[in-house]
Amino acid sequence: MAGIVACILLSFVTVVHSQAQTAFVEYMQSRMGVLEERIAQWHDHSNRYSTELRDFKNQVLKMLENIEKERDSVRNEMENTNIRVDRLEREVDYLETQNPAPSCVDIDEKLTELHTNKKKKNEKYEKLTGCPTAEIPVEPDAMLRPPIIRKSYCTDTISQVNAMKILKRYGGNAGLWTKDPVGNSEKVYVFDGAGNDTVFVFSRMKEFTLSSSTRKAARIKLPFPWIGTGHIIYGGNLYYIRQGDEFQVIKFNLANKTVVDSAVLPIEDQVPVYGLSKFNYIDIAADEEGLWVIYATKENEKNICLAKLDSSSLGIEQMWDTPCPIENAESAFVVCGSLYVVYNTKLPSRSRIQCVFDVSGTISSENVPVVYFPKRYGSHSSMKYNPKDKQIYAWDDGYQILYKLSMKPKEELY
């Protein structure tokens, strides 16, 4: 009996176990079916994504190819435009050189005319009286008036830039080069950089032009380094700007290499005088009347100021506030007591004189046409007018350039 019960129990256990295995197998098969279905969906999605990605890649490549073609086309158009602009500027420069300004009338013509009239009157007197020539007094109205052009003052203004000459490329982007307008010295002085303490001196222009280095140049070691490009050589002395606690003008004798004098100008809260040349706080200029100081202050931070400088004592004789704005100004110079401010753009374009201030009040910017300089490189870091040869010694992005000016009397502006 016990054996029968054990057999029945064994059979029951076997059946239950077989059913459990069958259920487990069916469960596993269903789960595998779900996984296979999901794997199939993943393959479908992956293939679709791969197809879309490939199509997108082809579209991008096609767009890049079109962009490259358009860029080449724009580049060609820009090159053609630059060629046309350069050609136009050369034509404008040529037209400007073909229309020189009328030369100033010599002041002795009036004296010659007066002498001729007096001679005719004397001859007429001889014929009428038969007597020797007598001195006939000249009426006061016929007396020769004081000449327009004097040593201490002149009435010329710039009519145009008549010609230019590119001498060479020497030094860095900023600097200045100049000659002494007083005396007969032919030496060329070169200041490389907006901050240094060594001046290079060439014995003449030809030596500077042909020299490929500074080996042939003499060197002058200054006692203090300079700042900016606003220095000037005048009457055998170097007037340059030194920065310490305050900006200081140093008068340095070039012959004996000593400091003659120094002065702190009565100018407070100075700011850069040119919007495009931030390294210049004081620019010393020379003209037919002597030395001038071009500067700017916080009190009048939008416009440039001008002062007359005594070359002997370094004292300020008179000061003016000008209407010439600082913004986009790159340099300035003085001719016959008139300040000429040269403007440009942040992306270098063609430099132009766009503002003129005359201390005598004879001319103003409204009466003066805009005078352009031939476009060449970047912008001028310095422009030094030489009243002796009527030329501007300019430093344009490391290139040394000479601009020859044409003049006309200020009266012709009216």
Side-chain angles (χ1 to χ4, degrees):
M1 188 65 182
I4 294 173
V5 172
C7 184
I8 291 172
L9 288 174
L10 181 62
S11 298
F12 177 77
V13 171
T14 302
V15 171
V16 171
H17 181 70
S18 177
Q19 290 178 350
Q21 285 183 341
T22 302
F24 179 75
V25 171
E26 290 177 355
Y27 172 77
M28 293 299 296
Q29 289 178 348
S30 65
R31 297 299 298 174
M32 291 295 292
V34 172
L35 289 175
E36 289 176 352
E37 183 178 355
R38 289 184 177 179
I39 290 173
Q41 291 178 357
W42 179 80
H43 278 296
D44 291 339
H45 291 167
S46 178
N47 291 333
R48 186 169 65 253
Y49 292 153
S50 298
T51 303
E52 292 177 355
L53 182 61
R54 184 168 54 254
D55 294 340
F56 177 73
K57 181 180 179 181
N58 293 332
Q59 292 177 3
V60 170
L61 291 175
K62 188 175 181 180
M63 292 174 63
L64 291 175
E65 184 179 355
N66 293 333
I67 291 175
E68 188 67 25
K69 291 180 180 178
E70 292 180 359
R71 188 174 69 174
D72 292 339
S73 177
V74 171
R75 185 187 297 112
N76 293 333
E77 291 179 1
M78 291 181 64
E79 290 176 354
N80 293 333
T81 302
N82 289 333
I83 293 173
R84 294 172 63 186
V85 170
D86 291 339
R87 185 183 301 115
L88 178 61
E89 289 182 347
R90 287 196 298 269
E91 292 176 356
V92 171
D93 294 340
Y94 173 77
L95 291 175
E96 289 178 349
T97 57
Q98 296 303 307
N99 295 277
S103 58
C104 297
V105 178
D106 293 333
I107 59 174
D108 60 344
E109 288 185 2
K110 290 186 176 181
L111 183 61
T112 303
E113 182 180 355
L114 179 62
H115 179 72
T116 303
N117 293 336
K118 184 177 179 181
K119 185 177 179 181
K120 289 181 179 179
K121 289 182 180 180
N122 288 340
E123 292 176 353
K124 184 177 180 180
Y125 179 80
E126 285 183 1
K127 290 181 179 180
L128 291 176
T129 62
C131 300
T133 303
E135 291 290 336
I136 299 177
V138 182
E139 294 81 6
D141 292 341
M143 294 295 291
L144 182 63
R145 295 181 178 180
I148 295 176
I149 301 176
R150 297 174 295 176
K151 290 183 179 180
S152 61
Y153 184 76
C154 68
T155 59
D156 284 343
T157 184
I158 298 175
S159 62
Q160 67 177 2
V161 179
N162 194 36
M164 70 168 291
K165 181 178 181 181
I166 304 172
L167 271 75
K168 62 185 302 182
R169 183 170 190 177
Y170 179 91
N173 293 337
L176 74 95
W177 71 295
T178 185
K179 293 173 63 177
D180 192 341
V182 180
N184 298 318
S185 175
E186 294 297 324
K187 292 182 178 180
V188 175
Y189 299 86
V190 180
F191 299 72
D192 186 12
N196 209 329
D197 63 354
T198 302
V199 182
F200 296 101
V201 185
F202 295 85
S203 60
R204 52 188 178 138
M205 184 73 71
K206 185 177 181 181
E207 184 176 333
F208 170 64
T209 305
L210 299 179
S211 177
S212 58
S213 65
T214 59
R215 288 179 297 177
K216 294 184 178 181
R219 289 172 170 79
I220 298 177
K221 184 80 170 179
L222 300 180
F224 312 106
W226 71 72
I227 180 173
T229 59
H231 328 300
I232 200 74
I233 306 292
Y234 189 82
N237 295 305
L238 163 62
Y239 298 81
Y240 75 97
I241 310 302
R242 175 199 180 193
Q243 183 179 13
D245 296 334
E246 296 178 287
F247 290 100
Q248 193 176 19
V249 177
I250 306 295
K251 182 178 180 181
F252 182 81
N253 186 275
L254 296 170
N256 54 29
K257 311 295 189 297
T258 58
V259 174
V260 178
D261 199 357
S262 64
V264 176
L265 301 181
I267 304 170
E268 297 180 355
D269 300 326
Q270 291 179 246
V271 296
V273 64
Y274 307 126
L276 299 182
S277 302
K278 298 292 187 180
F279 44 78
N280 274 326
Y281 287 80
I282 297 176
D283 193 356
I284 305 177
D287 76 339
E288 292 78 359
E289 298 186 26
L291 296 183
W292 303 80
V293 173
I294 307 167
Y295 65 97
T297 65
K298 288 183 179 179
E299 183 180 0
N300 188 20
E301 61 182 356
K302 292 186 178 180
N303 293 334
I304 295 172
C305 300
L306 180 68
K308 187 69 176 67
L309 181 68
D310 188 328
S311 60
S312 299
S313 64
L314 299 183
I316 295 295
E317 299 177 359
Q318 193 172 352
M319 307 172 81
W320 297 267
D321 293 331
T322 79
C324 301
I326 294 174
E327 185 179 3
N328 292 331
E330 66 176 17
S331 190
F333 52 89
V334 181
V335 178
C336 286
S338 298
L339 174 69
Y340 294 82
V341 184
V342 180
Y343 291 87
N344 207 314
T345 57
K346 291 184 178 179
L347 295 176
S349 179
R350 195 177 183 197
S351 302
R352 61 202 179 277
I353 299 174
Q354 197 167 316
C355 185
V356 179
F357 175 76
D358 181 29
V359 297
S360 66
T362 306
I363 61 175
S364 64
S365 294
E366 291 76 13
N367 305 117
V368 180
V370 178
V371 177
Y372 285 90
F373 291 86
K375 181 181 181 299
R376 285 300 178 268
Y377 303 105
S379 62
H380 299 98
S381 63
S382 66
M383 303 183 78
K384 295 299 176 181
Y385 170 69
N386 189 307
K388 182 179 179 181
D389 54 25
K390 307 295 183 185
Q391 295 186 118
I392 293 177
Y393 293 70
W395 191 293
D396 182 359
D397 199 23
Y399 289 86
Q400 290 73 49
I401 301 176
L402 276 176
Y403 294 111
K404 186 176 181 180
L405 303 177
S406 290
M407 303 293 201
K408 65 180 178 181
K410 295 179 183 178
E411 288 77 5
E412 293 188 10
L413 297 175
Y414 295 90

